[in-house]
Amino acid sequence: MRHTLRILALVLACALPVAALAQGFTESQRAEIVDILRRALREDPSILRDAIGGLEAAEQAARVAAQRDALTAQAAALFQDPADPVKGNPRGDVTMVEFFDARCGYCKQLHPTMEALIRRDPNLRVVMKDLPILGPTSVLASRALLAAHRQGRYGPLYDALMGLRVEPTEAVIRQQAERAGLDWPRLRRDMDDPAVQARIETNLRLAQTLGIEGTPALVVGTTLVPGAVDLPALERLVAEARAAR
């Protein structure tokens, strides 16, 4: 009897919406079902916990599947946009995409780990997606980085901004840009180019499509990793992507 009650309760909790109970049963049958459920839950409260856990697992699996579908659908925008800055080996056999905000503390924390990964893996290609979500100063920094890309100096300015412990105001950006060998008057003009802002907006739309809610966020193949992770975890992701080729 106990086994029967457990099965019935789980089926009802996981599979039948309340509206369904109002349709195929008589009043006495509905009362009996409710009574069975109440008795089952009194005898074994873990039934409800198991049912909720099953629903949460099913919802998580559905979210993961939807995210994988979105990553597959957006593969060209993620991995093959020629306008994106690239670090590491431009012809690498595995591509990792990094969404970041130049003011994000977790992005700064991830920076040396990513640099170590690139040094240790000469066949890794890293696509940089500026995602300024932390306010106007973040947008200013992203505009400077994308303008620096036109001078072939994205990497040096990116490294400089990631190392900052102060706000990347225009004065600070100018100082770091000049130290990185950039032509400041040209950089300042390019920062105001509408195409630079359009690139930022393209990245923001892509992140929204993929369900990215914060930075950093890394994409390898059809796997999205939110937040900063350690070097062994990154190396495992790259190895798995390489083995799947």
Side-chain angles (χ1 to χ4, degrees):
M1 177 64 176
R2 184 181 180 85
H3 182 65
T4 301
L5 290 175
R6 187 177 183 87
I7 292 174
L8 177 58
L10 282 171
V11 168
L12 289 173
C14 296
L16 290 177
V18 172
L21 291 176
Q23 294 179 5
F25 298 99
T26 66
E27 188 66 33
S28 62
Q29 286 173 329
R30 286 198 297 271
E32 184 179 0
I33 289 170
V34 170
D35 183 61
I36 290 172
L37 283 171
R38 285 174 176 167
R39 283 191 288 117
L41 290 172
R42 281 198 301 269
E43 292 177 12
D44 187 356
S46 69
I47 292 173
L48 183 59
R49 184 185 63 242
D50 292 346
I52 292 173
L55 287 171
E56 290 176 344
E59 289 173 357
Q60 176 62 19
R63 283 194 295 268
V64 170
Q67 191 171 74
R68 286 183 180 275
D69 289 344
L71 291 170
T72 299
Q74 298 298 325
L78 279 165
F79 304 115
Q80 299 168 18
D81 191 330
D84 284 331
V86 172
K87 299 185 73 176
N89 183 348
R91 297 180 177 81
D93 63 345
V94 171
T95 297
M96 178 179 290
V97 180
E98 179 182 354
F99 288 86
F100 75 98
D101 183 308
R103 294 178 60 230
C104 167
Y106 293 108
C107 298
K108 293 176 185 290
Q109 177 183 324
L110 180 64
H111 177 237
T113 305
M114 289 295 295
E115 292 301 299
L117 180 67
I118 290 170
R119 286 194 303 270
R120 293 172 63 154
D121 191 333
N123 288 315
L124 179 64
R125 175 175 174 263
V126 180
V127 172
M128 307 302 296
K129 297 279 192 182
D130 292 77
L131 193 67
I133 57 176
L134 298 178
T137 312
S138 292
V139 175
L140 184 70
S142 287
R143 285 165 48 200
L145 284 166
L146 292 169
H149 185 45
R150 298 183 177 187
Q151 296 185 39
R153 304 293 292 167
Y154 183 98
L157 185 58
Y158 170 82
D159 291 340
L161 295 184
M162 285 293 102
L164 286 178
R165 293 298 178 264
V166 297
E167 287 291 296
T169 62
E170 184 168 325
V172 170
I173 289 172
R174 176 174 183 171
Q175 180 186 59
Q176 297 301 321
E178 290 176 341
R179 285 180 179 175
L182 284 146
D183 178 340
W184 171 251
R186 177 186 170 190
L187 184 80
R188 193 63 194 81
R189 287 194 303 273
D190 287 342
M191 285 171 64
D192 290 333
D193 189 329
V196 168
Q197 183 61 34
R199 166 59 34 183
I200 292 172
E201 291 170 1
T202 295
N203 289 347
L204 289 167
R205 285 194 298 272
L206 179 59
Q208 185 177 29
T209 299
L210 298 175
I212 293 172
E213 299 177 346
T215 56
L218 302 171
V219 179
V220 187
T222 56
T223 300
L224 191 153
V225 181
V229 293
D230 61 20
L231 184 57
L234 290 177
E235 290 179 324
R236 283 195 300 273
L237 287 168
V238 173
E240 288 168 3
R242 189 164 280 137
R245 287 173 54 81

